[in-house]
């Protein structure tokens, strides 16, 4: 019983710290899909992020109850803690399952969406940096094209501008870059698809592993709380 008290107190402090980690993961996923909303049309893709935020807010009172019960047992607090642990377990299993499936699912969607944006983009070989969705993505991720800069040579706009690509493909260190294909070393080497896929999968897998580890810790907290509840049975409810 003393070990269960100590473990419950320790887990209470852990829940507070992991609430910050969960909130960080949830906000990262929400902002990621918000910043690239022109590539992700479905609003439900940010659902794992909102579930992670809900988990983070629920972890705070859960940690308070865990620490409080380890000091002084209360039937109301013990019962409330069990309900909160069950709620957290449901939230985290749902969030982990969605994050794992979305990581695989968004790959094909990203490629088709980026192909469409690249082929519909009307660009010119000028000093105008451009402010279209493709230009914003290429500057933010420091990339060029879907797979590399050669993707721009396959678009209809390249027939009119065979010697250049959009200026958003330029590296930031190259201040005099104008997208000239005669100076390929001034252009970003990587494509945008791989970089964006890595960002999405990293954010989703971060939430997945956070939820997996937290689920194990919550099961330990539930077992510890159950041991403490077993020591003081509900005598007044034996009639049931």
């Amino acid at each position: 019983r003393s070990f269960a008290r100590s473990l419950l107190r320790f887990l209470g402090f852990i829940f507070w710290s992991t609430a910050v980690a969960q909130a960080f993961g949830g906000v990262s996923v929400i902002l990621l899909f918000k910043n690239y909303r022109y590539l992700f049309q479905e609003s439900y893709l940010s659902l794992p992020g909102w579930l992670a935020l809900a988990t983070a807010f629920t972890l705070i009172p859960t940690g308070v109850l865990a620490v409080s019960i380890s000091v002084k047992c209360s039937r109301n607090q013990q019962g409330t803690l069990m309900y909160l642990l069950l709620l957290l377990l449901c939230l985290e299993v749902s969030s982990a399952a969605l994050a794992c499936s979305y990581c695989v699912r968004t790959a094909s969607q990203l490629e088709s969406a980026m192909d469409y944006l690249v082929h519909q983009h009307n660009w010119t070989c000028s000093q105008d940096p451009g402010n279209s969705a493709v230009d914003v993505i290429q500057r933010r991720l420091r990339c060029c094209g879907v797979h590399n800069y050669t993707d721009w040579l396959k678009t209809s706009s390249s027939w009119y501008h065979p010697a250049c690509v959009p200026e958003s493909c330029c590296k930031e260190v190259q201040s005099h870059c104008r997208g000239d294909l005669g100076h390929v070393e001034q252009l970003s080497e990587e494509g945008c698809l791989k970089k964006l896929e890595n960002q999405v999968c990293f954010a989703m897998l971060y939430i997945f592993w956070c939820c997996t580890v937290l689920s194990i810790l919550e099961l330990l907290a539930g077992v510890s709380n159950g041991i403490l509840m077993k020591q003081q049975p509900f005598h007044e409810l034996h009639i049931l």
Side-chain angles (χ1 to χ4, degrees):
R1 187 179 178 185
S2 60
F3 177 75
R5 284 180 179 273
S6 301
L7 181 60
L8 199 59
R9 184 185 301 112
F10 172 74
L11 290 174
F13 291 114
I14 291 295
F15 288 158
W16 290 340
S17 58
T18 51
V20 178
Q22 280 286 84
F24 173 77
V27 171
S28 298
V29 169
I30 292 170
L31 290 179
L32 179 66
F33 286 104
K34 182 179 179 182
N35 291 334
Y36 300 104
R37 56 188 175 277
Y38 24 77
L39 292 174
F40 304 99
Q41 301 297 328
E42 295 87 353
S43 58
Y44 62 81
L45 289 175
S46 60
L47 185 57
W50 291 109
L51 290 177
L53 277 182
T55 301
F57 286 116
T58 310
L59 279 170
I60 297 174
T62 304
V64 173
L65 285 173
V67 173
S68 177
I69 291 170
S70 66
V71 176
K72 183 180 179 181
C73 290
S74 168
R75 281 304 183 191
N76 292 332
Q77 291 180 351
Q78 288 175 326
T80 304
L81 178 62
M82 282 300 194
Y83 281 117
L84 287 177
L85 290 175
L86 182 61
L87 174 61
L88 283 170
L89 195 62
C90 293
L91 286 172
E92 285 160 8
V93 169
S94 301
S95 183
L98 289 174
C100 190
S101 64
Y102 288 174
C103 180
V104 179
R105 185 176 175 182
T106 53
S108 59
Q109 180 183 352
L110 269 177
E111 185 169 9
S112 60
M114 292 195 70
D115 273 331
Y116 176 79
L117 288 179
V118 167
H119 285 84
Q120 294 297 317
H121 182 44
N122 293 321
W123 48 276
T124 57
C125 295
S126 66
Q127 297 184 2
D128 180 17
N131 295 309
S132 68
V134 179
D135 293 316
V136 172
I137 293 174
Q138 292 187 148
R139 286 196 204 92
R140 185 174 290 162
L141 298 178
R142 297 179 185 178
C143 57
C144 186
V146 181
H147 301 95
N148 51 50
Y149 73 93
T150 59
D151 293 319
W152 288 107
L153 306 179
K154 305 171 187 177
T155 63
S156 58
S157 299
S158 64
W159 301 342
Y160 304 99
H161 315 292
C164 70
V165 296
E167 288 186 27
S168 54
C169 284
C170 296
K171 298 177 181 177
E172 288 188 357
V173 294
Q174 304 292 341
S175 58
H176 301 292
C177 175
R178 294 292 177 263
D180 187 2
L181 289 177
H183 300 280
V184 181
E185 70 279 357
Q186 297 179 349
L187 306 177
S188 299
E189 299 174 359
E190 293 186 69
C192 298
L193 178 62
K194 183 179 179 181
K195 283 196 168 185
L196 195 51
E197 278 182 353
N198 290 339
Q199 282 195 11
V200 171
C201 283
F202 177 80
M204 291 297 181
L205 289 177
Y206 177 89
I207 287 183
F208 173 80
W209 286 113
C210 277
C211 291
T212 302
V213 173
L214 267 173
S215 298
I216 297 173
L217 296 178
E218 284 155 12
L219 288 174
L220 290 175
V223 171
S224 301
N225 191 33
I227 292 174
L228 295 178
M229 294 177 74
K230 187 179 179 181
Q231 299 298 325
Q232 298 175 354
F234 290 97
H235 296 288
E236 65 276 12
L237 297 181
H238 279 177
I239 191 174
L240 297 178

